[in-house]
């Protein structure tokens, strides 16, 4: 088994999930079986109880596991089916160790972060890496592990220490570390700054991990002089510094990585039984990315929800719509509408917001109401559903969206005025949901 650890520096939300998914995609295109593990250093057992504003959407796996949205990226990019144990959290690890301690498995020893927590992390990773995730049910050959958060975070320390030890247990030819860092470009000077990356790599080295590849994220393409500077001050060869700037679509990322010789590097570094050239799978990927950029016809969909300030809150809905649009050669224009802004009370409170929201809804080709929790904003969703039904607009209700469509129909077509879901009104005379 080969292990690739992806760590992040400078800021969180830098795109480690897309980088990890893209690396997996490239290796899969070389004919290797790939699995993925996401480590989240928070103490929650899983992502199921989060507000979407905390960590984006909760992604639900086939086994019912409620996990981080990055596992959705892995499944989409790699075409695999993951399990709840592919998402490791601090809460899960501590719960596992405390249960063993209560059971007497440590034979009276003092249970500590090192070695008991760190050993539990390593054991979990090694066991989960062997679990088949493809349809052919064969054991994976490569495990891509993404460590959430930023190097230097206090909650991530036990995991970094676990992998510091693990690199020797797995042996050098079976383990490599990719560090994803930010190269900011302040508007005042327009100069691309390498100091944050230097500091981040120094912190990583101080914790005992040495990056094999440094992936630099930036808004614009990075200049060669910057690459040479990072190479010199971070103690790596220039070909070990990879640049990923902001692109029109995330499907461009595997292509950018492949163009910078990542296949050749992995082949030598991990002694992989592959050719230097990618297979037809990556050629298909390139064609898809090119097609995505050439789309001319536009399809606009209004997404009426409560968590519209952060697009990650509806990541899977967005991806599903994007893939659907791509399949019929349309570019997706997804308009996020806050459902509370469609409500009558908003007209009094802020008439500009109210009319702007309705203007967006009226010009949409289709309306989608996704899942949600709690009564806030449901009246606005009902208004959108009613509009879609009466104006014969294509409508899709998912989860709460479907339930509210039933409520709207009962109220306005069957004249059951108090029709509702028992979630919102336990005493309703017409509990349609």
């Amino acid at each position: 088994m080969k292990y690739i650890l992806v760590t992040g520096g400078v800021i969180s939300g830098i795109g480690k999930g897309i980088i990890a998914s893209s690396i997996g995609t490239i290796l899969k295109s070389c004919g290797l079986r790939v699995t993925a593990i996401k480590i989240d250093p928070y103490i929650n057992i899983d992502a199921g109880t989060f507000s979407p504003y905390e960590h984006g959407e909760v992604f639900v796996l086939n086994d019912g596991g409620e996990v981080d949205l990055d596992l959705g990226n892995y499944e989409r990019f790699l075409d695999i089916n993951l399990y709840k144990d592919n998402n490791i959290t601090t809460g899960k690890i501590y719960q596992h160790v405390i249960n063993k301690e209560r059971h007497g498995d440590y034979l009276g020893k003092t249970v500590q972060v090192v070695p008991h927590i760190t050993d539990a992390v390593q054991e979990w990773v090694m066991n989960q890496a062997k679990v088949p995730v493809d349809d052919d049910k064969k054991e994976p050959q490569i495990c891509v592990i993404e460590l959430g958060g930023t190097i230097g975070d206090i909650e991530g320390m036990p995991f970094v220490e676990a992998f510091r030890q693990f690199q020797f247990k797995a042996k050098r030819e079976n383990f490599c570390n990719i560090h994803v860092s930010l190269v900011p470009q302040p508007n005042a000077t327009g100069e691309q700054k390498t100091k944050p990356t230097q500091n981040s790599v120094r912190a990583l080295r101080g914790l005992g991990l040495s990056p094999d590849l440094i992936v630099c994220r930036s808004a614009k393409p990075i200049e060669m002089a910057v690459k040479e500077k990072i190479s010199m001050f971070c103690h790596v060869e220039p070909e070990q510094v990879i640049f990923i700037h902001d692109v029109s679509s995330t499907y461009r990322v595997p292509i950018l990585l492949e163009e910078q010789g990542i296949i050749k590097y992995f082949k030598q570094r991990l002694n992989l039984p592959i050719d230097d050239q990618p297979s037809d799978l990556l050629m298909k990927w390139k064609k898809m990315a090119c097609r995505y950029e050439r789309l001319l016809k536009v399809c606009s969909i209004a997404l009426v929800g409560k968590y519209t300030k952060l697009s990650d809150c509806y990541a899977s809905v967005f991806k599903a719509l994007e893939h659907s649009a791509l399949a019929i050669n349309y570019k997706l224009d997804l308009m996020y509408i806050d459902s509370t802004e469609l409500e009558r009370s908003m007209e009094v409170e802020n008439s500009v917001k109210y009319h702007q929201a309705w203007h967006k809804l009226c010009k949409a080709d289709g309306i989608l109401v996704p899942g949600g929790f709690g009564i806030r904003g449901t009246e606005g969703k009902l208004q959108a559903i009613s509009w879609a039904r009466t104006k014969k607009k294509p409508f899709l209700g998912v989860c709460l969206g479907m339930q509210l469509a039933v409520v709207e129909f009962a109220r306005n077509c069957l004249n059951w005025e108090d029709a509702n879901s028992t979630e919102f009104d336990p005493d309703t005379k017409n509990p349609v949901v």
Side-chain angles (χ1 to χ4, degrees), residues 93-94 96-98 100-101 105-123 162 165:
I93 291 290
Y94 272 80
H96 171 72
V97 169
I98 289 166
K100 283 179 77 174
E101 186 272 332
D105 291 358
Y106 296 117
L107 301 173
K109 283 196 171 76
T110 305
V111 180
Q112 295 174 288
V113 173
V114 180
H116 301 103
I117 296 293
T118 52
D119 283 354
V121 172
Q122 294 171 57
E123 195 182 308
Q165 297 171 18

Side-chain angles (χ1 to χ4, degrees), residues 92-222:
K92 280 183 184 176
I93 291 290
Y94 272 80
Q95 189 178 57
H96 171 72
V97 169
I98 289 166
N99 287 344
K100 283 179 77 174
E101 186 272 332
R102 291 289 83 191
H103 194 251
D105 291 358
Y106 296 117
L107 301 173
K109 283 196 171 76
T110 305
V111 180
Q112 295 174 288
V113 173
V114 180
H116 301 103
I117 296 293
T118 52
D119 283 354
V121 172
Q122 294 171 57
E123 195 182 308
W124 194 308
V125 166
M126 286 190 290
N127 290 338
Q128 199 57 32
K130 293 174 188 168
V131 176
V133 290
D134 284 314
D135 293 335
D136 62 10
K137 301 296 176 198
K138 287 184 181 172
E139 190 177 302
Q141 296 161 290
I142 291 198
C143 179
V144 180
I145 306 151
E146 181 195 340
L147 176 56
T150 311
I151 285 299
D153 291 350
I154 193 165
E155 61 262 34
M157 291 295 186
F159 295 104
V160 177
E161 173 58 22
F163 286 108
R164 184 197 67 75
Q165 297 171 18
F166 186 67
Q167 65 187 330
F168 302 110
K169 191 181 284 187
K171 298 201 169 42
R172 180 173 160 75
E173 66 273 16
N174 297 324
F175 178 91
C176 84
N177 173 216
I178 295 168
H179 190 60
V180 185
S181 181
L182 178 72
V183 176
Q185 192 168 3
N187 288 334
T189 60
E191 186 187 356
Q192 291 170 331
K193 296 292 185 184
T194 64
K195 192 63 74 181
T197 299
Q198 292 176 43
N199 290 337
S200 180
V201 170
R202 190 182 298 122
L204 184 66
R205 281 219 171 86
L207 296 168
L209 283 171
S210 199
D212 294 283
L213 286 174
I214 299 172
V215 177
C216 298
R217 289 279 293 107
S218 63
K220 293 174 184 169
I222 295 176

Side-chain angles (χ1 to χ4, degrees), residues 40 42-50 66-68 84-85 87-96 99 124:
D40 285 301
Y42 46 68
I43 296 172
N44 303 59
I45 298 295
D46 59 35
T49 54
F50 280 146
E66 297 177 341
V67 295
D68 187 85
K84 61 186 176 191
D85 284 347
N87 192 192
I88 302 173
T89 67
T90 297
K92 280 183 184 176
I93 291 290
Y94 272 80
Q95 189 178 57
H96 171 72
N99 287 344
W124 194 308

Side-chain angles (χ1 to χ4, degrees), residues 14-74:
I14 199 171
K16 294 189 299 296
I18 297 294
I19 301 286
S21 304
S22 300
I23 286 163
T25 302
I26 289 168
L27 294 170
K28 190 162 183 176
S29 79
C30 295
L32 297 164
R33 294 187 299 279
V34 184
T35 185
I37 291 173
K38 172 73 193 289
I39 296 174
D40 285 301
Y42 46 68
I43 296 172
N44 303 59
I45 298 295
D46 59 35
T49 54
F50 280 146
S51 155
Y53 282 141
E54 290 282 324
H55 272 264
E57 75 166 11
V58 176
F59 188 78
V60 184
L61 301 168
N62 284 3
D63 65 357
E66 297 177 341
V67 295
D68 187 85
L69 62 83
D70 275 321
L71 276 86
N73 284 323
Y74 306 154

Side-chain angles (χ1 to χ4, degrees), residues 335-353:
M335 300 182 289
Y336 292 97
I337 300 174
D338 189 328
S339 58
T340 57
E341 291 175 7
L342 297 171
E343 294 173 4
R344 291 263 177 242
S345 57
M346 183 56 74
E347 191 177 13
V348 178
E349 198 181 306
N350 189 330
S351 62
V352 174
K353 269 188 180 177

Side-chain angles (χ1 to χ4, degrees), residues 2 167 171-177 210 212 240 263-272:
K2 309 286 184 183
Q167 65 187 330
K171 298 201 169 42
R172 180 173 160 75
E173 66 273 16
N174 297 324
F175 178 91
C176 84
N177 173 216
S210 199
D212 294 283
Q240 289 172 265
I263 295 176
K264 190 180 174 189
Y265 180 79
F266 278 135
K267 185 186 175 182
Q268 292 168 346
R269 175 68 182 76
L270 295 173
N271 196 18
L272 297 174

Side-chain angles (χ1 to χ4, degrees), residues 218-255:
S218 63
K220 293 174 184 169
I222 295 176
E223 295 145 20
M224 191 50 68
V226 176
K227 182 173 190 159
E228 286 162 2
K229 193 173 179 183
I230 290 170
S231 163
M232 182 166 59
F233 288 111
C234 294
H235 197 65
V236 291
E237 295 284 345
E239 57 267 25
Q240 289 172 265
V241 182
I242 306 275
F243 294 154
I244 303 291
H245 57 272
D246 292 352
V247 282
S248 57
S249 104
T250 52
Y251 307 121
R252 272 271 156 221
V253 178
I255 298 160

